[in-house]
Amino acid sequence: IKDAKLKTELHAIDTWEGDEHAGYYGEEIYEKYLEIKNKYYKDVNIIDHKMFFDEAIDKFEDNSIDVLHIDGLHTYDAVKHDFQTWLPKVKKDSGIVLLHDVCEKSDGFGVYKLWDELNKEYNTITFEHYHGLGVLFLGNSIYKKITLFIDIWTKYYPLLSENIQNLKNVSDKETHIRNLEQKESQLLRKYKNLEKEHNDLENKHNDLEKEHNDLEKEHNNLEKEHNNLKKEHNDLEKEHNDLESSYNSLHKKNIVVEQKATEYENFQKTKIWKSLTIYRKFKKYFKNFFINLFRDGPILTFKRIFNRIKNIIRCRTGIPQEINPYEYWLQKNKITKTRKKAILLELQKLKYKPLISIVMPVYNIDVKWIKKAVKSVKNQIYPNWELCIADDASTNPQLIKYLKSLEKDPKIKITFREKNGHISEASNTALELAEGEFVALMDNDDIIHPHALAEIVKVLNKDKETDLIYSDEDKITTEEKRVEPFFKPDWSPDLFLSSNYLCHLTVIRKKIIDEVGRFRKGFEGSQDYDLFLRVTERTDNIKHIPDILYSWRKIPGSTASTYDQKGYADDAAIRALSEAINRRGLNATVREGLFPGSFRVKYNLENNPLVSILIPTKDKYEYIEKCISSIFEKTTYQNFEIIIIDTGSSEKRTIEYYESLKSNPKIRFLHWNKKFNYSAVNNYGVKHAGGEYILLLNNDTEVISPDWIEGMLEHAQRDKIGAVGVKMYYPNDTIQHAGVILGINGGDGRGVAGHAFKYYPRGIQGFPVQKDIIRNYSAVTAACLMIKKTRYQEVKGFNENFRIAFNDVDFCLKLLKNGYYNIYTPYVELYHHESISVGTPESNTRDIEEFAKEINIMYERWERKLLDDSFYNRNLTKNRENFSIEANK
């Protein structure tokens, strides 16, 4: 095959494991085979089937094989089975079957026995060298085949040609048939020469016709270009005349302005102007002062003036918000005496004031840090607490002395363990001291802020069924500087399975902690995560406080300093998460995430459902072609159909491209002949979709991830998931979409939505940036969105009142209302050129009045959600998509 450069398809079927005759061997044989194939036969089309012969039988159609070489197990029964099984697959009129070891009679070999039987029924040749090779011919005429074998053997094996047997059995009938075949071959060659001459003439005619069309097209283009240049010249001439006229007009006005300016300068030198300077400077302050005095009274007026002066001083002496927004936030949210009094007044009005047990395991911590931790507990505004400390056999005498000094405080309980058991056992020992209805978890070097427990109790008074509460957090340096704030979303179950974002401060009902078995030994480093996983399997009554109540101490070697410094924590977290997946009966596996401290719960696909990809499009060949090509070139999931919904294409190139796609069995076309309405177009497409899952896709997208369908389908198949969104990039590799934030970009306070982390670079980033982790959002973009078809129908699809904007946001909010979580995954990546065909609300083609109308509809339907996105954080800005801190909070 190689020497003759034949376009032959060669199939190699073997387990590459050996058998009882050949002996058994390991994977190195297969690897050696691949090495030889790739080195010497890379130009030969060899297809491997690593399986048993019977497993491969269905891969070949009947009457399709030219040459079949059987060399399997050499017993009579085995080779007979292989011959009878595969014989229907060999071409009846021209096929050849080779049988190995037809002369070997030892060690259980039985091929010779079968060969004796076949010699009586078929035309055969026997080569007796080595262990023998049998050649069996199917069909009536074997002359050409025998001649071919003679040529081959005399050319490549001249010393063995004497072993050819049975050649004398060729009959006179075969000689006659050979002559007829030669005549037939001559006529066929003549016919082919005539056919080639005809095709050459036809091609020459087509080339001339194409050249004529090209010249005609070039002439039209030149004529069009000439007309455009002529029009451009006229426009420039008109613009020049307009500018000349405007210049003359402005020149006249400038002369008048200069005259007025001279008069004004002369007036400023007069005594009248100087006498009015003080009045002008303080006019508005005097006016506002008297208005406020009569309206609010003297006390409130002077108090407002005092606060204004204090703010001016603070702004001048403090750090401006623009330089360090978190410092500015801390100043705005500081627990002042006034705020403390207000919190005390709130606490007095509360009816429910449960005891909260703060659990603190201790081991050889520097005394200065635990002093600060204990002080922060004593400074709590809410009084009904107890501090439960378990020392895990510390060896620091100063620490032991300090801990014993705390025993005098009736609100502090301490126990000293005789043997070090690490953090899980120490925490359980501290839990044994706890008598509170709720338990707060605290490390021995961190601090909780004065209003922490008060905020917890306020939540419990609003909803006494709450079982778990978590807050926002930051970190604190050894120089007492607060840094790295983490403003969290409300309960996000998929974010929680991707990372322990709850962390601190977390307060849990003690009854549930006891029920799940408290902390477990062996999960040190991620003992809290393991506990939280088990607790959240028992309750959905979870609340989030959007305020920083807890600060981690950044001590060298601590998790707060650098997560990587506790690599064992990752191992423990993966084990805890894997056990949680098993307990919950989820068909999934746990893997490391894209950055330290993150994980990926990868769900296994159930069955092989059909996915319908819906692509609304109009013209723009260069984008729809790139989109379709990327799907077929990169997609690994094969059970899909593409439904192209054309909304009025007229460009010739696009129409021609459509024609080229119509022969593809995976592609169907629908046509939308009404006024464009994105919602109505997709609803129309879904009605005609045959898939169990719908994948909405913009025509200006390009697939990056080969397993993009699997990456969306693994979540769309889950019971509690509505819409699945993905990570999308602009062509310059900056983020275009990593989820949707509600209420964003509303300068007048009426923003509807914006794309999370827009314009962020493509590279991987860790917390608090959450673009590279699976998480829940209120909404995701429909530019690439997957959903189960029945859920699409359950919420009645897209609202057709939204012609272009906000239809996907409204759709996702309907799913959220019906109890489904919408999810974003960074493991599916696409390019998005964003609204190439349709345009955006800011483009000239968009009706601004219609856009304003759609904003009004969104606020009529979803105002509460838009103003307070539960998967965002009210401390973060609504003016940008970068998760920066809101200055006014």
Side-chain angles (χ1 to χ4, degrees):
I1 292 170
K2 177 183 176 183
D3 292 348
K5 297 182 180 178
L6 301 178
K7 294 182 179 180
T8 302
E9 186 173 283
L10 179 61
H11 293 263
I13 306 167
D14 200 347
T15 61
W16 281 275
E17 294 174 354
D19 55 41
E20 61 187 58
H21 282 122
Y24 291 94
Y25 37 79
E27 188 69 11
E28 69 277 359
I29 296 297
Y30 181 61
E31 292 173 355
K32 184 66 177 177
Y33 155 72
L34 292 177
E35 177 184 340
I36 294 171
K37 181 182 82 168
N38 295 332
K39 183 174 180 181
Y40 297 105
Y41 302 106
K42 60 182 179 181
D43 295 327
V44 179
N45 185 14
I46 303 176
I47 302 166
D48 305 332
H49 303 278
K50 196 172 183 183
M51 56 184 68
F52 291 101
F53 298 162
D54 287 354
E55 292 176 322
I57 189 72
D58 292 333
K59 295 183 178 294
F60 300 88
E61 295 179 359
D62 288 349
N63 201 34
S64 65
I65 297 175
D66 295 294
V67 180
L68 175 70
H69 180 195
I70 299 175
D71 182 20
L73 190 61
H74 295 75
T75 64
Y76 171 78
D77 291 331
V79 72
K80 184 176 182 179
H81 169 77
D82 290 339
F83 177 82
Q84 292 175 343
T85 303
W86 282 85
L87 185 62
K89 305 296 179 179
V90 184
K91 290 184 178 178
K92 298 177 181 178
D93 298 323
S94 60
I96 298 174
V97 180
L98 306 180
L99 284 174
H100 210 62
D101 296 332
V102 297
C103 299
E104 181 60 56
K105 297 183 180 181
S106 62
D107 297 328
F109 280 68
V111 185
Y112 75 93
K113 184 177 179 182
L114 177 64
W115 189 242
D116 289 342
E117 296 173 2
L118 296 177
N119 280 329
K120 299 173 184 177
E121 187 177 353
Y122 296 92
N123 293 316
T124 63
I125 299 175
T126 304
F127 297 92
E128 296 180 346
H129 60 285
Y130 296 115
H131 304 283
L133 174 70
V135 184
L136 182 151
F137 300 90
L138 299 178
N140 294 323
S141 176
I142 65 168
Y143 180 82
K144 283 188 176 181
K145 303 170 193 174
I146 293 173
T147 304
L148 174 64
F149 270 87
I150 293 172
D151 291 341
I152 291 173
W153 281 89
T154 54
K155 180 178 180 180
Y156 291 98
Y157 308 104
L159 297 179
L160 301 175
S161 59
E162 62 185 21
N163 291 306
I164 299 175
Q165 301 294 322
N166 302 330
L167 295 183
K168 297 179 181 180
N169 295 332
V170 180
S171 65
D172 293 338
K173 184 178 179 181
E174 296 295 339
T175 304
H176 177 66
I177 292 172
R178 179 191 66 184
N179 295 331
L180 290 176
E181 286 176 347
Q182 287 177 348
K183 290 180 180 180
E184 181 184 6
S185 178
Q186 291 173 357
L187 289 172
L188 184 62
R189 280 198 302 273
K190 189 173 183 180
Y191 169 77
K192 286 184 177 180
N193 289 334
L194 289 171
E195 187 177 34
K196 183 177 181 302
E197 187 176 349
H198 171 266
N199 291 336
D200 291 343
L201 289 171
E202 190 172 18
N203 290 336
K204 189 173 183 180
H205 171 265
N206 292 336
D207 291 340
L208 289 171
E209 188 174 22
K210 182 176 181 300
E211 186 176 353
H212 171 265
N213 292 336
D214 290 341
L215 289 170
E216 187 174 20
K217 185 177 179 182
E218 186 177 356
H219 171 266
N220 293 334
N221 289 337
L222 288 171
E223 188 174 18
K224 184 177 178 182
E225 186 176 354
H226 172 264
N227 293 333
N228 289 337
L229 288 170
K230 187 175 180 181
K231 182 177 181 299
E232 187 177 350
H233 173 265
N234 294 335
D235 291 342
L236 288 170
E237 190 172 22
K238 182 177 180 300
E239 186 177 353
H240 172 264
N241 294 334
D242 291 342
L243 287 170
E244 189 173 21
S245 175
S246 298
Y247 171 78
N248 293 333
S249 176
L250 287 171
H251 182 65
K252 292 177 182 179
K253 290 180 180 179
N254 186 50
I255 294 172
V256 175
V257 170
E258 286 179 355
Q259 291 174 349
K260 296 289 185 182
T262 303
E263 293 175 4
Y264 179 70
E265 288 176 1
N266 293 333
F267 177 70
Q268 283 182 316
K269 297 175 183 178
T270 63
K271 293 181 179 180
I272 297 173
W273 173 268
K274 293 178 180 178
S275 63
L276 292 173
T277 300
I278 296 175
Y279 172 75
R280 283 197 309 274
K281 188 171 183 179
F282 294 100
K283 177 183 175 182
K284 68 175 183 179
Y285 296 108
F286 288 136
K287 182 179 177 180
N288 290 337
F289 172 75
F290 287 112
I291 289 173
N292 292 333
L293 186 66
F294 285 109
R295 185 184 65 192
D296 302 329
I299 296 176
L300 189 58
T301 299
F302 283 104
K303 183 177 180 180
R304 187 181 290 115
I305 293 171
F306 174 76
N307 287 335
R308 175 64 177 163
I309 294 171
K310 187 170 68 173
N311 285 336
I312 291 172
I313 294 171
R314 182 166 56 185
C315 288
R316 288 181 178 177
T317 58
I319 298 177
Q321 173 230 337
E322 292 81 5
I323 298 175
N324 191 330
Y326 187 47
E327 284 288 342
Y328 187 84
W329 186 93
L330 290 172
Q331 289 181 12
K332 296 273 286 184
N333 291 274
K334 188 177 181 180
I335 305 299
T336 61
K337 290 182 179 179
T338 303
R339 188 176 173 191
K340 183 176 180 180
K341 287 179 181 178
I343 293 173
L344 285 169
L345 287 173
E346 283 186 274
L347 291 175
Q348 288 176 9
K349 297 175 183 178
L350 299 180
K351 295 181 180 180
Y352 180 47
K353 300 177 182 178
L355 174 64
I356 298 178
S357 300
I358 302 168
V359 170
M360 181 187 292
V362 174
Y363 180 70
N364 280 347
I365 186 67
D366 193 320
V367 174
K368 66 180 178 181
W369 303 132
I370 192 171
K371 280 185 177 181
K372 290 181 181 293
V374 172
K375 183 180 179 181
S376 73
V377 175
K378 290 183 175 181
N379 286 341
Q380 288 302 298
I381 300 172
Y382 179 72
N384 194 17
W385 55 266
E386 64 175 5
L387 176 58
C388 304
I389 298 175
D391 177 75
D392 197 24
S394 294
T395 57
N396 183 346
Q398 291 181 332
L399 175 61
I400 301 298
K401 182 179 179 181
Y402 170 71
L403 292 176
K404 288 184 176 180
S405 72
L406 295 176
E407 291 178 315
K408 299 174 184 177
D409 191 323
K411 298 179 75 171
I412 299 177
K413 301 176 180 178
I414 301 178
T415 184
F416 294 90
R417 291 171 52 84
E418 294 182 359
K419 182 180 178 182
N420 181 270
H422 302 293
I423 192 167
S424 295
E425 290 191 3
S427 297
N428 285 336
T429 301
L431 275 171
E432 291 172 3
L433 303 174
E435 297 180 1
E437 190 175 349
F438 289 88
V439 170
L441 305 179
M442 185 175 178
D443 290 344
N444 58 13
D445 50 359
D446 299 339
I447 63 171
I448 55 175
H449 299 291
H451 62 311
L453 299 185
E455 293 298 324
I456 297 293
V457 175
K458 282 160 63 177
V459 170
L460 292 173
N461 274 266
K462 290 179 182 178
D463 185 357
K464 292 185 179 180
E465 300 300 317
T466 302
D467 294 317
L468 186 151
I469 303 170
Y470 66 96
S471 75
D472 298 337
E473 61 190 81
D474 67 5
K475 294 175 184 175
I476 187 168
T477 68
T478 54
E479 293 79 25
E480 303 303 316
K481 182 177 177 62
R482 291 176 63 182
V483 295
E484 301 177 31
F486 182 17
F487 292 106
K488 309 170 186 177
D490 288 351
W491 176 236
S492 176
D494 287 287
L495 177 59
F496 179 58
L497 291 182
S498 301
S499 182
N500 179 19
Y501 83 96
L502 303 188
C503 223
H504 298 299
L505 173 70
T506 305
V507 176
I508 308 171
R509 192 180 294 274
K510 185 175 184 293
K511 179 182 176 182
I512 295 180
I513 293 178
D514 293 337
E515 287 175 354
V516 300
R518 301 185 178 183
F519 293 95
R520 294 197 296 172
K521 186 176 181 180
F523 291 90
E524 285 75 15
S526 290
Q527 72 283 342
D528 291 352
Y529 193 26
D530 175 58
L531 176 65
F532 298 161
L533 285 164
R534 287 178 283 126
V535 168
T536 54
E537 290 166 16
R538 293 291 185 99
T539 180
D540 292 324
N541 298 322
I542 302 168
K543 293 291 187 295
H544 165 232
I545 298 173
D547 191 3
I548 292 180
L549 307 182
Y550 191 104
S551 292
W552 289 37
R553 180 74 63 180
K554 290 189 70 172
I555 299 174
S558 68
T559 304
S561 179
T562 306
Y563 187 88
D564 287 338
Q565 291 184 356
K566 290 193 175 182
Y568 67 88
D570 246 3
D571 297 335
I574 289 174
R575 283 191 291 109
L577 197 50
S578 298
E579 290 191 14
I581 295 303
N582 291 332
R583 287 194 303 270
R584 300 176 189 196
L586 301 178
N587 183 15
T589 55
V590 180
R591 303 179 179 183
E592 291 183 352
L594 295 174
F595 58 87
S598 69
F599 315 101
R600 180 184 184 185
V601 177
K602 192 173 191 314
Y603 296 85
N604 299 319
L605 297 186
E606 299 171 4
N607 303 318
N608 185 40
L610 177 64
V611 176
S612 296
I613 305 173
L614 273 57
I615 308 177
T617 186
K618 178 183 177 182
D619 292 324
K620 299 296 179 184
Y621 159 81
E622 61 272 26
Y623 293 105
I624 184 64
E625 190 278 332
K626 184 177 288 186
C627 176
I628 298 296
S629 295
S630 70
I631 292 173
F632 282 103
E633 288 171 6
K634 297 185 179 179
T635 304
T636 53
Y637 188 86
Q638 289 303 303
N639 195 17
F640 67 86
E641 65 171 357
I642 297 175
I643 301 176
I644 296 176
I645 312 170
D646 184 75
T647 60
S649 295
S650 59
E651 293 177 357
K652 182 180 177 182
R653 198 175 183 191
T654 303
I655 302 301
E656 291 174 347
Y657 179 62
Y658 286 173
E659 289 298 322
S660 72
L661 296 177
K662 287 183 178 178
S663 61
N664 192 319
K666 285 185 176 289
I667 297 179
R668 289 196 284 137
F669 284 88
L670 298 176
H671 295 278
W672 179 263
N673 300 318
K674 304 175 186 178
K675 179 182 178 181
F676 182 81
N677 181 315
Y678 182 81
S679 299
V681 168
N682 277 294
N683 290 342
Y684 172 67
V686 171
K687 288 179 183 177
H688 291 80
E692 185 181 347
Y693 291 87
I694 303 297
L695 200 170
L696 306 180
L697 189 66
N698 275 22
N699 64 342
D700 55 344
T701 56
E702 181 182 354
V703 175
I704 298 174
S705 307
D707 60 347
W708 68 298
I709 292 181
E710 295 96 318
M712 301 175 78
L713 185 57
E714 66 170 290
H715 297 294
Q717 70 184 2
R718 294 165 55 197
D719 293 338
K720 293 184 178 181
I721 297 300
V724 182
V726 304
K727 186 189 288 185
M728 308 188 80
Y729 303 109
Y730 289 110
N732 65 354
D733 283 327
T734 59
I735 296 292
Q736 188 268 334
H737 170 269
V740 171
I741 306 167
L742 303 182
I744 282 284
N745 291 332
D748 59 352
R750 284 172 63 81
V752 174
H755 287 183
F757 303 107
K758 198 172 185 179
Y759 306 125
Y760 265 64
R762 185 172 177 175
I764 302 300
Q765 292 175 266
F767 279 118
V769 178
Q770 298 168 41
K771 69 180 180 64
D772 300 309
I773 193 169
I774 296 172
R775 58 163 295 172
N776 303 109
Y777 279 106
S778 294
V780 292
T781 181
C784 182
L785 180 153
M786 184 182 285
I787 185 170
K788 197 169 187 177
K789 185 176 181 179
T790 54
R791 286 169 201 158
Y792 189 100
Q793 295 167 331
E794 179 184 333
V795 297
K796 299 180 180 178
F798 280 14
N799 186 333
E800 296 181 11
N801 288 321
F802 299 104
R803 192 173 73 88
I804 295 181
F806 312 133
N807 33 56
D808 47 7
V809 178
D810 175 78
F811 176 71
C812 288
L813 290 177
K814 289 193 293 182
L815 290 165
L816 207 61
K817 185 179 179 181
N818 276 28
Y820 297 107
Y821 284 104
N822 300 312
I823 193 171
Y824 156 78
T825 173
Y827 296 97
V828 175
E829 298 175 300
L830 289 88
Y831 283 116
H832 186 202
H833 302 282
E834 194 173 27
S835 304
I836 291 295
S837 296
V838 178
T840 64
E842 295 79 19
S843 70
N844 294 328
T845 61
R846 182 60 196 267
D847 187 341
I848 301 301
E849 292 182 3
E850 183 180 7
F851 182 57
K853 178 183 175 182
E854 291 179 352
I855 291 176
N856 290 334
I857 296 173
M858 282 298 293
Y859 269 87
E860 288 171 7
R861 290 170 59 82
W862 307 107
E863 181 172 10
R864 186 174 177 183
K865 288 283 186 185
L866 297 179
L867 295 178
D868 186 14
D869 187 345
S870 58
F871 295 102
Y872 195 51
N873 189 298
R874 70 185 185 193
N875 292 291
L876 301 177
T877 182
K878 288 293 186 75
N879 295 320
R880 295 176 298 280
E881 298 97 333
N882 62 359
F883 284 64
S884 58
I885 297 170
E886 173 57 54
N888 296 320
K889 294 293 183 182

